[in-house]
Amino acid sequence: MHVEKFFSPADLKEIETAVREAEATTAGEIVPFVVSHSDHYEVAVWKGAVLGAFLAVVAAAAVYYAGGYWGGFLMAWILLPSLAGGAAGFTATALIRPLKLWLAGPAAVDHHVRQRAVAAFLENEVFRTRERTGILIFLSLLERRVIVLGDSGISARVEQREWDTVVAGIVEGIRSGQPGRALAAGIRRCGELLTRRGVAVRPDDTDELPDQLRMREE
């Protein structure tokens, strides 16, 4: 899934505008960041190859027991099903998103997305604000996961359930085919939430981090 094709120019403009509007009412600095995927899941792909080889061998055995047919050279009949099944399983897992994530397992997917979000927090220097009021809104497209990470000046004031509400709204909007509007709405909710939690804008407040959506094709 290509990041640059996922958001239209209008989406990018709406997201940038939402960041500016949100930051006009709070000292929080909001950084939206999107990646194509959080991991390549090579282990899942090889699991698919093994599963494909196994199913092909089972199918060949079923043909034999059903009709007593081995056909052709015995060695070819033994080797070809496993090789063909392994290749098919490898290719299918590499190309079919739900299959890859299913074979990876939810725990591994959660781990990789969380790990990539933390890395993005550091890469984008979200921590480099005067009062540690940076917020990262992280989207991983392959996994269709969203994570909101607040710096120490934010996390002490906002409960996780409140971030979960922001995340749920973004995910629902993406599923409905409106990623730009959904992310912009989530950004505005973050601004409103910070304002309610007393992260107020100061008279000498400056824009410490860029407002544009940051994208990376992994």
Side-chain angles (χ1 to χ4, degrees), residues 8-207:
S8 69
D11 288 336
L12 299 180
K13 184 176 181 179
E14 183 175 3
I15 291 166
E16 183 176 349
T17 299
V19 173
R20 289 176 180 169
E21 291 176 353
E23 292 180 354
T25 61
T26 176
E29 290 285 333
I30 302 171
V31 177
F33 183 77
V34 57
V35 296
S36 55
H37 54 268
S38 292
D39 192 76
H40 291 288
Y41 302 101
E42 291 93 345
V43 173
V45 174
W46 285 109
K47 282 183 180 178
V50 172
L51 179 61
F54 173 75
L55 292 176
V57 170
V58 170
V63 170
Y64 168 72
Y65 283 111
Y69 175 73
W70 280 106
F73 296 103
L74 179 60
M75 188 58 65
W77 182 256
I78 294 173
L79 293 177
L80 286 179
S82 59
L83 293 175
F90 184 95
T91 302
T93 306
L95 296 177
I96 301 174
R97 184 193 72 87
L99 179 60
K100 178 185 285 187
L101 297 181
W102 177 70
L103 288 173
V109 172
D110 288 342
H111 170 75
H112 287 300
V113 173
R114 174 66 60 172
Q115 190 177 50
R116 186 65 187 89
V118 172
F121 189 94
L122 299 176
E123 291 167 10
N124 291 276
E125 299 184 330
V126 182
F127 55 86
R128 294 192 66 178
T129 59
R130 181 175 57 179
E131 297 180 1
R132 304 297 297 269
T133 54
I135 298 174
L136 176 75
I137 302 180
F138 175 82
L139 285 73
S140 191
L141 299 185
L142 173 70
E143 298 86 351
R144 297 181 182 174
R145 301 292 177 92
V146 179
I147 293 179
V148 178
L149 294 179
D151 205 350
S152 57
I154 298 292
S155 58
R157 304 191 188 195
V158 181
E159 297 180 6
Q160 184 58 47
R161 62 179 179 80
E162 295 174 300
W163 293 136
D164 292 341
T165 300
V166 174
V167 168
I170 297 173
V171 171
E172 181 61 30
I174 291 174
R175 286 176 177 169
S176 66
Q178 298 180 317
R181 183 172 299 178
L183 181 52
I187 291 168
R188 292 188 178 97
R189 289 192 192 99
C190 285
E192 295 166 359
L193 181 58
L194 295 182
T195 301
R196 291 200 305 268
R197 289 291 175 263
V199 188
V201 64
R202 295 182 179 275
D204 61 344
D205 186 70
T206 59
D207 195 358

